Amino acid sequence: MERPDAVVDPPLVPVEDYAVLGDGKTAALVSLRGSIDWLCLPTFDSAASFARLLGTPDNGRWLLTVRDATTVTRRYLDTSFVLETTYQTPDGTAVAQDTMPLNDGRADLVRRLVCTRGSVEVEHEWVVRFGYGAVVPWVRHITDDAGDDAIQAIAGPDSLLLRGDRLPRPIDHRHADRFTLHEGESVELALTWTRSWDPVPPRLTIADRIDSTRISWGLWARGCAYEGSYREAVIRSLLVLRLLTDSETGGIVAAATTSLPEDFGGERNWDYRYCWLRDAAMTLEALLEHGYRGEATEWRDWLLRAVAGRSSDLQIMYRVDGGRHLPERELDHLAGYAGSRPVRVGNAAVGQVQNDVLGEVMCALELAREAGLRETDDSWSLQRHLVDDLLGRWRRPDRGIWEVRGDPRHFTHSKVMAWAAVDRAVRAAEKHGLDAPVDRWRAERDAIHADVLAYGWNAARNTFVQSYGAEHTDASLLQIAQVGFLPPDDPRVLSTLAAIRAELEIAPGLLLRYRTEHTDDGLAGDEHAFLACSFWLADALARTDDVEGSTKVLDILVGLANDVGLLAEQYDPVGGRMAGNVPQALSHLALVRAVHSHDLALERQAR
């Protein structure tokens, strides 16, 4: 048998060439050519065991591919995260299926490759590096309790076990194999994470686990009866939001990755594998609008646990399990995606004051009440304390929704969302009969409203501006109408919408979140179009009953998703490529909510 040489990778795998797999606890990124380049086990915020995404193959990856493929196509089976990839070569065809099984209390990734025509040459490489690609493990062959051969990689508390029909051979601190499959032949492989001191779990029956996982995802998707416009994009986005939700704790992470750059080759690289209250609350709203009440209960329970203690100690983000400690550090051993450094894990923004966050949380909890979720004494007590704490600090400057690392400012959006927080608290008292100091809250709500109109409005420019005294806009101002601070047809909303498009629309339908030359965010470099803000544009147009305009923007944005329906954080219209972490919850939830507003506008138009 020939010795398999090290597989030569393309210099850079485009962000849009990655698909995602997930099991409700963590997620893996799989490239178009079958390389698992990112996998953190056992949870989203664990250290990566495969970190080729941010470095080289020597930082860990699991490749199973067909050599000399002239055409590679892929899809998710039905409404699932079972990825099916078809390889066409001059001599044959092969079909791969990859997934992370659900509902079995294990941490597994399974792969099956079947030759369906002729013959194909298969390339298999398994390189495990714990600690984000830094730690070369102790690797050995073992025999499990059923007598099956396995390869086990161990370092510290972690163990990865590879089993299958045909195992690769050790070569130069990696395991590799090259072989031929003929029509009707297949190879099955399974990767299992355990704690290094635990016994080896039984081997999986791979075909059964693939099928049961496909069915499980499909059953969840059937909970959404949505049949409106952009149905496929909406269903896939809802599935992504569920994939990014921890099935045990209810925490919702912002993305599956860290340090995919907003500015290629630059320093705008962040770790999004944590639970931002803002993003999670907006995710909850998207799920609630499509009937997923169970997720609302899970997230509210997670919130109660995460923020337990003094209301003044509220953080803007937490770990998946509700932990508060996520210090930011840099991984100097990784080259970074496209040379974008530093590679960061943890997030220093955890210590920032962002006065908009409670507004998003209270909006989501009000929507949950409207959907029939009953408040408990504990959940309402928490909200009362958080609102009272906000009332003591909303007049102070903060870091805002974009987490700027420059000086704090009086961000208009932060004040608007502070208003929204108090407004929803007042509604809870007035409409749902919850006990509250409602007279005091009404007075404070009116004071915030008046403050924004006095200082956030620039009469000379005829627009709301990013911060008090500024001359420029910010795409977050599109939420003024979303949260009901002013009606969508208010002239000030319409003129602000026009100003935002004039200043921030860099290509049809694509908005920057702000101009970096006007915003001291504490970083060098520029950014690309921010997809969530671009969907907010479609949402705003729909709310103003510009259905034609909303449709044009949605058609553009939905068309930017990759071949399996995933969206990153940003999009570079010049390079025609995605940028930032992927899949990005904020992008997908903004899609779902923009389509919801668009469909309501269509209904109004039809009346």
Side-chain angles (χ1 to χ4, degrees):
M1 183 181 296
E2 69 175 298
R3 171 190 174 99
D5 298 322
V7 179
V8 178
D9 268 329
L12 189 69
V13 178
V15 173
E16 58 270 17
D17 275 8
Y18 285 105
V20 69
L21 311 174
D23 64 358
K25 297 294 292 182
T26 189
L29 290 194
V30 189
S31 75
L32 183 63
R33 66 190 301 270
S35 182
I36 295 173
D37 289 346
W38 183 254
L39 178 58
C40 302
L41 289 166
T43 62
F44 290 105
D45 53 7
S46 298
S49 303
F50 300 135
R52 183 258 183 269
L53 177 71
L54 301 175
T56 71
D58 194 50
N59 295 123
R61 62 96 168 265
W62 185 15
L63 174 72
L64 183 67
T65 193
V66 172
R67 292 172 59 87
D68 303 320
T70 55
T71 305
V72 181
T73 57
R74 63 186 177 177
R75 61 172 183 148
Y76 287 123
L77 293 184
D78 306 321
T79 52
S80 79
F81 284 101
V82 175
L83 181 68
E84 182 177 89
T85 305
T86 301
Y87 299 92
Q88 301 276 359
T89 77
D91 299 320
T93 302
V95 178
Q97 291 183 340
D98 301 324
T99 199
M100 298 186 74
L102 299 176
N103 307 321
D104 59 5
R106 296 171 47 145
D108 300 295
L109 196 158
V110 299
R111 315 190 76 174
R112 185 168 191 263
L113 182 65
V114 181
C115 181
T116 59
R117 176 184 66 85
S119 63
V120 295
E121 189 175 9
V122 180
E123 194 83 51
H124 184 200
E125 184 176 75
W126 192 66
V127 184
V128 177
R129 298 289 187 267
F130 293 111
Y132 297 103
V135 179
V136 178
W138 169 39
V139 182
R140 59 178 181 158
H141 273 267
I142 66 169
T143 302
D144 67 16
D145 290 343
D148 294 321
D149 190 25
I151 304 172
Q152 185 177 41
I154 290 177
D158 297 300
S159 166
L160 278 181
L161 195 73
L162 180 65
R163 287 179 284 196
D165 300 331
R166 180 186 176 113
L167 297 178
R169 294 172 294 134
I171 303 172
D172 301 330
H173 300 290
R174 62 190 179 93
H175 283 70
D177 194 11
R178 185 182 297 167
F179 56 93
T180 300
L181 284 180
H182 299 281
E183 185 172 332
E185 295 180 339
S186 64
V187 62
E188 294 184 341
L189 297 158
L191 178 77
T192 302
W193 177 91
T194 64
R195 297 177 300 180
S196 58
W197 56 87
D198 283 341
V200 173
R203 184 171 173 174
L204 295 172
T205 53
I206 291 177
D208 289 347
R209 297 306 295 138
I210 289 173
D211 196 48
S212 64
T213 298
R214 177 187 60 81
I215 292 170
S216 293
W217 281 113
L219 289 173
W220 187 87
R222 282 172 57 185
C224 175
Y226 176 72
E227 296 292 343
S229 57
Y230 309 101
R231 182 179 188 278
E232 184 176 345
V234 167
I235 296 297
R236 179 54 58 189
S237 291
L238 290 170
L239 284 163
V240 168
L241 297 178
R242 183 57 182 170
L243 179 142
L244 295 173
T245 303
D246 186 281
S247 59
E248 183 178 7
T249 69
I252 304 170
V253 299
T257 57
T258 179
S259 298
L260 287 178
E262 300 168 359
D263 181 21
F264 294 99
E267 65 175 331
R268 296 172 179 267
N269 318 310
W270 312 110
D271 192 348
Y272 281 0
R273 298 170 301 143
Y274 304 111
C275 304
W276 270 255
L277 297 187
R278 176 194 305 109
D279 297 41
M282 288 193 281
T283 295
L284 187 63
E285 290 175 291
L287 291 168
L288 280 168
E289 287 174 345
H290 289 83
Y292 290 102
R293 288 180 52 188
E295 286 69 15
T297 303
E298 290 175 8
W299 182 76
R300 189 184 67 184
D301 291 346
W302 175 89
L303 178 69
L304 284 168
R305 296 191 303 271
V307 306
R310 294 180 303 178
S311 55
S312 59
D313 292 334
L314 179 73
Q315 295 183 177
I316 64 164
M317 72 179 91
Y318 298 84
R319 302 189 77 93
V320 176
D321 62 3
R324 293 169 173 263
H325 190 56
L326 38 123
E328 184 175 304
R329 60 191 176 95
E330 299 177 2
L331 303 181
D332 294 334
H333 67 278
L334 290 173
Y337 183 90
S340 307
R341 302 186 72 186
V343 172
R344 294 181 171 97
V345 294
N347 201 305
V350 67
Q352 290 187 354
V353 174
Q354 298 173 16
N355 289 332
D356 70 294
V357 169
L358 186 59
E360 301 291 0
V361 170
M362 294 299 292
C363 285
L365 293 176
E366 171 63 16
L367 192 60
R369 284 189 289 269
E370 291 292 322
L373 184 67
R374 294 182 61 85
E375 290 286 3
T376 66
D377 290 342
D378 289 340
S379 65
W380 179 239
S381 175
L382 170 68
Q383 292 168 65
R384 282 191 54 168
H385 282 90
L386 291 175
V387 169
D388 284 338
D389 179 71
L390 176 66
L391 292 179
R393 58 180 167 85
W394 71 265
R395 291 176 175 83
R396 303 172 196 163
D398 72 327
R399 303 284 182 171
I401 185 174
W402 308 129
E403 303 183 346
V404 298
R405 299 195 175 195
D407 292 335
R409 275 172 287 170
H410 292 281
F411 286 101
T412 302
H413 172 264
S414 293
K415 310 294 188 186
V416 168
M417 296 310 298
W419 172 90
V422 186
D423 178 72
R424 272 39 174 200
V426 170
R427 290 190 199 181
E430 293 178 339
K431 189 170 182 179
H432 300 279
L434 297 171
D435 182 54
V438 68
D439 291 336
R440 179 167 63 86
W441 283 356
R442 288 194 197 101
E444 289 285 351
R445 179 184 62 179
D446 293 345
I448 300 172
H449 200 276
D451 194 76
V452 172
L453 296 183
Y455 301 108
W457 174 257
N458 186 312
R461 286 210 58 201
N462 197 33
T463 181
F464 287 101
V465 287
Q466 183 187 57
S467 59
Y468 288 5
E471 298 288 330
H472 53 278
T473 63
D474 179 317
S476 65
L477 298 170
L478 292 169
Q479 292 196 292
I480 287 174
Q482 283 186 17
V483 300
F485 183 86
L486 289 174
D489 59 355
D490 188 287
R492 291 164 292 188
V493 170
L494 298 174
S495 61
T496 298
L497 173 57
I500 287 171
R501 298 195 75 171
E503 187 176 335
L504 302 179
E505 192 169 12
I506 59 172
L510 289 169
L511 295 184
L512 298 171
R513 51 182 174 173
Y514 53 79
R515 290 279 179 183
T516 55
E517 62 268 29
H518 294 156
T519 302
D520 177 19
D521 59 14
L523 300 164
D526 293 313
E527 296 187 343
H528 300 292
F530 202 83
L531 290 176
C533 295
S534 303
F535 281 112
W536 291 348
L537 171 61
D539 186 288
L541 292 169
R543 289 173 188 272
T544 63
D545 287 329
D546 182 359
V547 175
E548 181 180 357
S550 178
T551 302
K552 286 180 179 178
V553 173
L554 281 174
D555 286 347
I556 291 167
L557 299 179
V558 170
L560 298 181
N562 72 357
D563 56 327
V564 288
L566 304 182
L567 293 167
E569 179 185 26
Q570 300 184 11
Y571 188 80
D572 170 14
V574 176
R577 57 185 178 173
M578 291 187 188
N581 287 305
V582 67
Q584 181 82 0
L586 192 58
S587 299
H588 283 282
L589 69 89
L591 182 156
V592 173
R593 304 210 71 202
V595 171
H596 181 70
S597 293
H598 176 266
D599 288 350
L600 291 177
L602 286 173
E603 292 177 10
R604 291 193 297 271
Q605 188 182 65
R607 289 200 290 266

